[in-house]
Amino acid sequence: MKKTQVSGSPVHMSQTLRQCAFDLFVEHGFDNVNLDQIAAAAGVTKGSLYWHYKNKQELILASCQHYYQTWHANIQKLLAPLSNPHERLKKTIAYSVDSCVIDKRNRVFTTAIFTLMQENDAVRDSWAQFYSTVREFYIGLLYAVKHAESSTSMDHVRRDVDLMLEAMEGLKIRAGFEKQMVDQSERLVISESLLSIFKG
Amino acid sequence: MKKTQVSGSPVHMSQTLRQCAFDLFVEHGFDNVNLDQIAAAAGVTKGSLYWHYKNKQELILASCQHYYQTWHANIQKLLAPLSNPHERLKKTIAYSVDSCVIDKRNRVFTTAIFTLMQENDAVRDSWAQFYSTVREFYIGLLYAVKHAESSTSMDHVRRDVDLMLEAMEGLKIRAGFEKQMVDQSERLVISESLLSIFKG
DNA sequence: TTGACACCATACTAGTGAGTATGGTAATAT
DNA sequence: ATATTACCATACTCACTAGTATGGTGTCAA
């Protein structure tokens, strides 16, 4: 059967597949999406999907990479216009809270990762590495704040960051079953709570 | 085929099935356990399983109930010998931290719940109700502490409890991919961090 | 021109697992 | 004695899906 090449440069088909896989995964979770759906979304069939990825796990790992890259890109874009260290920290936390509370796709994807992590070493390692970069990023933000304040108590910055990140993950989960958290004022209070961790 | 009635009183078969389902779920997750395995573990076949439970979802919900009841029972047993409010709070937090960090079965089960929650209303409602009781329980512990200290600042007790519970959930997830958290001293520090939330 | 290769479609295998249909047995009731 | 019911086993159906086998087409190099 003839097929007009419609999907742009064929070099990017693996990227297209990764994007489509991600879009379906964040909507329905890994187990509820099959490879035919992903291929169809990309405008091809399973046969060609298997030319680009050797199995479903590779696609899942690729969609993880997509998630990580998107996160970094969003943060960069968000902080680009800000130079004040305290503003940068505050903005980052506010953005993360919004992602956890409002963005259902984010919730679906990460919870799916957490479940898969329990039995899949590759996924676990992948997420551990991402978490590590996020932690270092927050530590950098905090160092900048402390330095601007000429503060010397850098003691438990690392532990505080871990505590805050843990609280964010828990927040994400709680937002999954308590719906009254969506209003703006509530989210502001939550951001304040998380910020207060560093005031102790 | 003759079958000698070996499994005790047949009245308790639904309980046996629930227990076996739970034991398999915490080990492999919901999707990696099929009904034949559960029935086999209980010493029966799928036919009789379907006499006690009308589908897999009912078994999952039943295993959730088992989880909730076990949690309450463990806490009761833990706090029975303690009367000092501060001791009771500290002990409860320490126990919860241990459950999150050490008990892999606990991690597997709850993360599976969180994923399922995103698409399953019944599971979500079930967990939301459990979370509510846990929160009220912690609030009760804190009220007792504040009362013993003749403190009047009951202001953000509720918010602090939520923050701490969120941090615990996040801790559980992080313990799933960072293994250096298992040693006793590290867990003590974590407990202290969580307790410090109430000192602010 | 021809062969090689990148890329894609079609059609299939094979395994799995939820749910059902049906029949058997032991106890209890009438 | 017989009918009913609670409980369980056997044996299926049916849908779904990861992965494979195979062949086609366009492009590019030699």
Side-chain angles (χ1 to χ4, degrees), chain B residues 101-167:
Chain B
V101 175
I102 301 177
D103 190 358
K104 178 175 179 177
R105 294 157 51 97
N106 185 30
R107 281 205 302 272
V108 171
F109 187 79
T110 50
T111 51
I113 290 287
F114 296 150
T115 296
L116 197 53
M117 217 167 56
Q118 309 295 327
E119 59 178 56
N120 190 316
D121 292 355
V123 171
R124 178 170 55 240
D125 292 347
S126 171
W127 185 266
Q129 193 183 338
F130 171 64
Y131 182 86
S132 184
T133 67
V134 172
R135 172 167 45 198
E136 296 307 321
F137 179 79
Y138 267 101
I139 289 173
L141 287 179
L142 266 174
Y143 273 5
V145 170
K146 299 264 185 186
H147 186 263
E149 293 174 348
S150 305
S151 171
T152 51
S153 67
M154 307 276 192
D155 297 342
H156 35 57
V157 168
R158 204 167 202 85
R159 192 168 320 282
D160 287 345
V161 167
D162 275 330
L163 183 61
M164 194 214 57
L165 287 177
E166 286 158 12

Side-chain angles (χ1 to χ4, degrees), chain A residues 17-29:
Chain A
L17 282 165
R18 193 180 80 159
Q19 176 76 53
C20 292
F22 181 79
D23 289 340
L24 286 168
F25 286 153
V26 297
E27 210 69 41
H28 308 105

Side-chain angles (χ1 to χ4, degrees), chain A residues 59-79:
Chain A
L59 252 176
I60 291 176
L61 287 172
S63 69
C64 285
Q65 293 301 322
H66 177 79
Y67 178 84
Y68 307 152
Q69 289 172 17
T70 304
W71 187 89
H72 283 114
N74 286 340
I75 292 290
Q76 290 301 335
K77 203 180 300 176
L78 192 78
L79 297 187

Side-chain angles (χ1 to χ4, degrees), chain A residues 33-108:
Chain A
V33 174
N34 63 45
L35 300 181
D36 289 294
Q37 293 175 276
I38 296 172
V44 293
T45 60
K46 199 163 53 176
S48 54
L49 186 151
Y50 270 94
W51 194 89
H52 292 282
Y53 297 93
K54 81 173 213 280
N55 52 30
K56 190 174 185 177
Q57 154 135 338
E58 265 200 1
L59 252 176
I60 291 176
L61 287 172
S63 69
C64 285
Q65 293 301 322
H66 177 79
Y67 178 84
Y68 307 152
Q69 289 172 17
T70 304
W71 187 89
H72 283 114
N74 286 340
I75 292 290
Q76 290 301 335
K77 203 180 300 176
L78 192 78
L79 297 187
L82 299 178
S83 59
N84 179 285
H86 191 261
E87 283 296 317
R88 288 167 65 89
L89 176 62
K90 230 177 116 177
K91 191 88 174 179
T92 306
I93 290 181
Y95 169 78
S96 298
V97 168
D98 284 359
S99 297
C100 290
V101 174
I102 300 177
D103 189 358
K104 178 175 178 176
R105 293 156 52 96
N106 185 29
R107 280 206 302 273
V108 171

